[in-house]
Amino acid sequence: MASDKDPNFDRLNEEDHLLELLRDSKTRDEGFRQLMYRYQEKVYWHVRRIVLDHDDANDIVQDTFMKAYKAIDRFKGDSKIYTWLYRIASNEAITWINKKKRRATHSIDNEDSVIAQRLEADPYFDGDQTQKLLYVAIASLPDKQQLVFNMRYFDELPYREISRILKTSEGALKASFHHAVRKIEKFFQDVEV
Amino acid sequence: MHESHPDRGAKLPDFFETYRQENPFVVPHNYFSELPDKVLDRIKEEKHASLFYRLIDINRLWALRGILRPALAVASVLLIISVFLLWPNSTDQIAMSQLTQDEVTDYVIYNIDEFEEEFFYIEEADDLDLLRESLEGEGLEGLLDDLLDDIDEETIQNIL
C-alpha cells in the first residue's frame, strides 16, 4: 500500500481530510478542533519563545487560531496548514512585540535587564541562569533574525519551509541565522567579560 | 568561510547544542487540553454577536416591514402637516401688512374658531368709536354723500 511505502502519505492524507472538514460548514468546528489538537503546541511554543510570557503567548495563540478560523475559506491549500499557521502566528507575535516596544516606558538600553527581570519573576519559567541569558540574547535580535533563529534552532524547520513561512529566499535566511548565532555568541562573551 | 556557516554542515557551538532540546518554559495545568474549547467558545461568541447585529440590522427590520411601512407613511404625513401648520404662521405675520381689508375679512370668517371672543369685543368697541367719530360734523355729511353716490335711482325707487 502507498502508506507503507511513503511515510508522508498518511500525514498528507490526514491534512487533506482536515481541509475537507474545515471547508464544509457542517464539519468546520470539528475540523478546527482537530487542527488545534494537532498544531496548537507547535504554534504555542513558537510564539512563547518570541514573547516569553505565558499570558501574552496565550492571547497571541488564541488570536492566531481565531484568524485562521475566519480565513479558512481563503486558504487555497498551496502550502501546508502549519506553514500557514506559523505565518499568521509569526506576524501576530512580531506585531505584538513592536506594539509593546512602542508602549514601553523604559529606554532601549535597559531592554535586556527588563527581559531578564521578567523571566526571573515569571512563575512559568523554570530555566537556569544560562537559559535565561540565552532568551535575553534571542530577544535582543532584530525581528527577522529572531524568527529565523527560533524556527531553525528550536523548531528545527528546514530552510525550505522557513522560506515559505517568511516568504524570504533560503540564502537570505541562512545569512540571517548565521548573523543571529554570531550575535548570541558575542552576547555571552560580553556577559562573561 | 563556508565551513563555519551553520547551515553548511558546520555544527553549532556546543553551547547551542546543549540547550537546543531543553525547554525552560512551562504552561498552566491542562492548558493544551482546554485551549481548543476556549478558542471555539470565542468563535461561537463572535458568531452570536455578529448574528445578533445581523438580525437587528436586516432580518429584524425585514420582519417588521409590515408595521414599519404604514408607520413610516403616517410619520411622513404628520411631517408634511406639521410643515404646513407651522411654516405659514411665520410667513403670515410677514404678509399681513400686504393683505387687503377684504382678504383679512375672508381669513377671519374662514378661521373664526381660532379667535377669542374678547378679541371681537375689543375690535367691535374700537370700530364703534371710529364710526362715532366719523359720523360727527363733516364726517357725517361725507358719509351721506358717498352713500348717495353709490345708490342709483332704481334702488331708491325700490326702497320707497
Side-chain angles (χ1 to χ4, degrees):
Chain A
M1 297 294 280
S3 59
D4 296 330
K5 291 174 186 172
D6 184 354
N8 290 324
F9 180 84
D10 283 342
R11 191 174 56 78
L12 291 172
N13 210 25
E14 277 176 30
E15 187 149 315
D16 286 343
H17 175 63
L18 196 56
L19 276 176
E20 274 179 30
L21 292 175
L22 288 167
R23 282 175 178 153
D24 187 339
S25 59
K26 289 173 191 166
T27 56
R28 181 167 295 175
D29 285 1
E30 178 49 35
F32 197 73
R33 189 182 293 277
Q34 287 185 26
L35 175 135
M36 282 205 69
Y37 276 122
R38 188 175 300 180
Y39 297 118
Q40 61 177 356
E41 289 198 42
K42 279 185 179 178
V43 170
Y44 174 84
W45 291 120
H46 173 59
V47 171
R48 179 74 184 269
R49 288 187 188 109
I50 296 170
V51 300
L52 305 177
D53 180 74
H54 166 72
D55 291 332
D56 296 336
N58 176 44
D59 288 345
I60 293 165
V61 169
Q62 288 196 27
D63 289 347
T64 296
F65 281 105
M66 294 278 290
K67 284 196 173 175
Y69 186 93
K70 288 174 192 168
I72 200 74
D73 288 329
R74 295 198 296 277
F75 178 66
K76 293 167 189 165
D78 47 6
S79 64
K80 290 173 187 164
I81 293 176
Y82 84 82
T83 304
W84 179 59
L85 287 173
Y86 259 63
R87 192 179 301 142
I88 300 172
S90 299
N91 288 337
E92 288 288 305
I94 294 300
T95 303
W96 183 92
I97 286 273
N98 290 331
K99 270 186 194 170
K100 195 164 188 175
K101 279 179 187 168
R102 282 198 296 273
R103 285 198 304 262
T105 50
H106 57 267
S107 72
I108 295 168
D109 297 338
N110 294 333
E111 184 75 15
D112 293 352
S113 60
V114 169
I115 292 168
Q117 283 168 13
R118 263 186 22 224
L119 282 174
E120 261 173 36
D122 189 348
Y124 298 115
F125 181 78
D126 198 21
D128 58 24
Q129 182 67 9
T130 310
Q131 283 171 316
K132 189 175 74 184
L133 286 174
L134 174 61
Y135 282 96
V136 172
I138 295 168
S140 70
L141 296 171
D143 297 345
K144 196 72 169 276
Q145 281 182 23
Q146 193 179 344
L147 284 173
V148 176
F149 181 83
N150 284 352
M151 287 184 197
R152 185 76 184 132
Y153 178 65
F154 293 114
D155 302 333
E156 298 183 85
L157 292 178
Y159 279 117
R160 195 176 59 251
E161 207 59 54
I162 302 172
S163 171
R164 288 182 187 136
I165 294 165
L166 300 179
K167 294 183 176 173
T168 307
S169 72
E170 289 185 38
L173 294 174
K174 286 171 186 174
S176 284
F177 185 75
H178 175 73
H179 288 301
V181 170
R182 294 291 164 263
K183 280 181 186 174
I184 292 168
E185 282 180 324
K186 187 174 184 308
F187 180 90
F188 273 92
Q189 283 165 8
D190 292 345
V191 169
E192 282 170 14
V193 170
Chain B
M1 182 123 179
H2 280 182
E3 283 75 21
S4 64
H5 197 292
D7 192 54
R8 292 191 172 98
K11 264 187 74 177
L12 282 170
D14 290 343
F15 161 79
F16 286 101
E17 294 300 336
T18 307
Y19 287 101
R20 188 197 287 271
Q21 299 300 334
E22 289 184 19
N23 183 1
F25 297 107
V26 289
V27 293
H29 187 59
N30 288 336
Y31 175 68
F32 287 118
S33 60
E34 291 168 1
L35 185 59
D37 284 333
K38 282 183 185 167
V39 173
L40 283 164
D41 284 347
R42 275 185 64 186
I43 289 165
K44 274 180 197 166
E45 276 173 28
E46 281 201 6
K47 271 185 189 173
H48 282 299
S50 62
L51 190 68
F52 173 75
Y53 286 115
R54 263 186 284 157
L55 277 171
I56 290 296
D57 288 347
I58 301 163
N59 294 340
R60 182 70 71 175
L61 291 177
W62 182 249
L64 293 173
R65 68 190 185 283
I67 300 166
L68 286 174
R69 205 174 285 166
L72 279 172
V74 170
S76 304
V77 170
L78 287 173
L79 182 69
I80 292 164
I81 290 169
S82 303
V83 168
F84 271 96
L85 285 177
L86 297 173
W87 202 283
N89 280 348
S90 56
T91 54
D92 271 358
Q93 287 174 349
I94 297 164
M96 275 297 277
S97 60
Q98 297 164 358
L99 294 173
T100 63
Q101 186 64 40
D102 288 340
E103 284 172 328
V104 173
T105 307
D106 287 342
Y107 178 81
V108 172
I109 289 166
Y110 282 111
N111 297 281
I112 196 73
D113 294 338
E114 289 180 27
F115 292 89
E116 298 288 337
E117 206 175 353
E118 289 80 0
F119 175 79
F120 291 106
Y121 293 150
I122 293 163
E123 289 296 305
E124 193 175 42
D126 288 344
D127 283 348
L128 285 170
D129 288 339
L130 191 68
L131 186 64
R132 198 176 295 120
E133 283 170 19
S134 305
L135 295 177
E136 284 173 5
E138 291 178 4
L140 179 62
E141 287 177 21
L143 179 68
L144 289 172
D145 286 339
D146 288 340
L147 285 170
L148 285 170
D149 287 338
D150 287 337
I151 298 171
D152 56 21
E153 286 181 13
E154 192 178 328
T155 309
I156 294 168
Q157 282 175 0
N158 287 337
I159 293 168
L160 294 172

